[in-house]
Amino acid sequence: MDTTKTSAPLTPEADPAEPKTPAQADRADGSTPATTKADTTKAETDVSTSGTEAPAEAAAGPTGEADDLDGLDDPDGLDEPRERIVGGVGAAASAIVAAGLGLVALSGTWVSRVIAERQTLIGQIESANATTTEAKIDALYGDAWHLTALVNGVVSTLALLLAVFVLARPAFGVPDRVLPVWIRSVAWAAVALGALGILLFGSMYFDLLLPMPKAAG
């Protein structure tokens, strides 16, 4: 009997495999996706950048702090010695007193007025024995005027000496120390008032500015 050879059933042909990317292939195998070339380049760039910035910031930190400290020590950028401005209570009080004495001397002090009135009374007593008119005028007015000029001149001299002492005192103390501007201004004002008083009252005392009047005939 003829037997016919039966062929095995044909299996369905598999569909041609579609091309898969390396990432899809890795996911199918269950492994982690592989990094692409772009991702690798980006990671290397981030690492290099972070590694460069850290030392730069570390280097800039001490330098910036050093610059700030230098600015505090020497704000002008110069190593020149600076004068220390100090003003004591004594110097300030002395300058004010000197200016007050110079001003009072020019306007007339109470002491000079009392001395002048006393000398006028003495002159009235002495004028009784005066033989000439000029002697009577000198006894009644001349001596009183001269004493007034003398007392005010002495006060002006005291003001001048005190002001000069205030201005010259720092030169004999600690070096690089100066008085505040307002103390020096008051002291110089006292010097001007004292010098003016000495000149004015000296001229009056020696009859250079206001000489004694002469009697007629």
Side-chain angles (χ1 to χ4, degrees), residues 17 31 60 72 172:
S31 60
L72 292 176
F172 301 96

Side-chain angles (χ1 to χ4, degrees), residues 97-106 108-112 148-162 190 193-195 197-198 201:
V97 170
L101 288 176
L103 184 61
V104 169
L106 290 176
T109 62
W110 178 81
V111 177
S112 63
T148 301
L150 178 62
V151 173
N152 290 333
V154 170
V155 175
S156 297
T157 303
L158 291 177
L160 178 61
L161 293 177
L162 186 58
L193 292 174
I198 292 174
F201 297 121

Side-chain angles (χ1 to χ4, degrees), residues 6 15-17 24 36 58 64 77 104 132 138-139 143 148 155-156 160 163 166 185 188 195 206:
T6 59
D15 296 335
Q24 293 175 350
T36 60
V104 169
T132 61
D138 187 54
D143 294 340
T148 301
V155 175
S156 297
L160 178 61
V166 171
S185 300
W188 278 113
F206 293 104

Side-chain angles (χ1 to χ4, degrees), residues 1-195:
M1 158 174 107
D2 294 334
T3 58
T4 58
K5 187 178 181 180
T6 59
S7 60
L10 298 175
T11 59
E13 295 181 358
D15 296 335
E18 297 180 356
K20 297 182 180 180
T21 61
Q24 293 175 350
D26 293 337
R27 290 193 187 95
D29 296 338
S31 60
T32 57
T35 57
T36 60
K37 183 178 181 181
D39 296 337
T40 305
T41 305
K42 183 178 181 181
E44 292 177 353
T45 305
D46 294 339
V47 172
S48 61
T49 305
S50 60
T52 306
E53 291 178 353
E57 292 177 355
T63 306
E65 294 177 358
D67 294 340
D68 295 340
L69 294 177
D70 294 341
L72 292 176
D73 295 337
D74 192 7
D76 296 333
L78 301 175
D79 295 333
E80 297 179 356
R82 291 177 294 179
E83 295 179 346
R84 291 176 293 176
I85 299 178
V86 293
V89 178
S94 300
I96 295 174
V97 170
L101 288 176
L103 184 61
V104 169
L106 290 176
S107 60
T109 62
W110 178 81
V111 177
S112 63
R113 185 168 62 252
V114 171
I115 293 176
E117 291 176 355
R118 182 178 181 276
Q119 187 62 36
T120 300
L121 179 59
I122 295 174
Q124 290 176 355
I125 297 173
E126 293 177 353
S127 63
N129 300 325
T131 57
T132 61
T133 305
E134 293 181 357
K136 289 182 179 181
I137 293 174
D138 187 54
L140 290 174
Y141 303 103
D143 294 340
W145 291 344
H146 289 163
L147 283 178
T148 301
L150 178 62
V151 173
N152 290 333
V154 170
V155 175
S156 297
T157 303
L158 291 177
L160 178 61
L161 293 177
L162 186 58
V164 170
F165 173 77
V166 171
L167 293 174
R169 178 66 180 84
F172 301 96
V174 180
D176 299 334
R177 287 193 175 185
V178 296
L179 294 173
V181 176
W182 74 271
I183 295 180
R184 286 180 286 171
S185 300
V186 174
W188 278 113
V191 169
L193 292 174

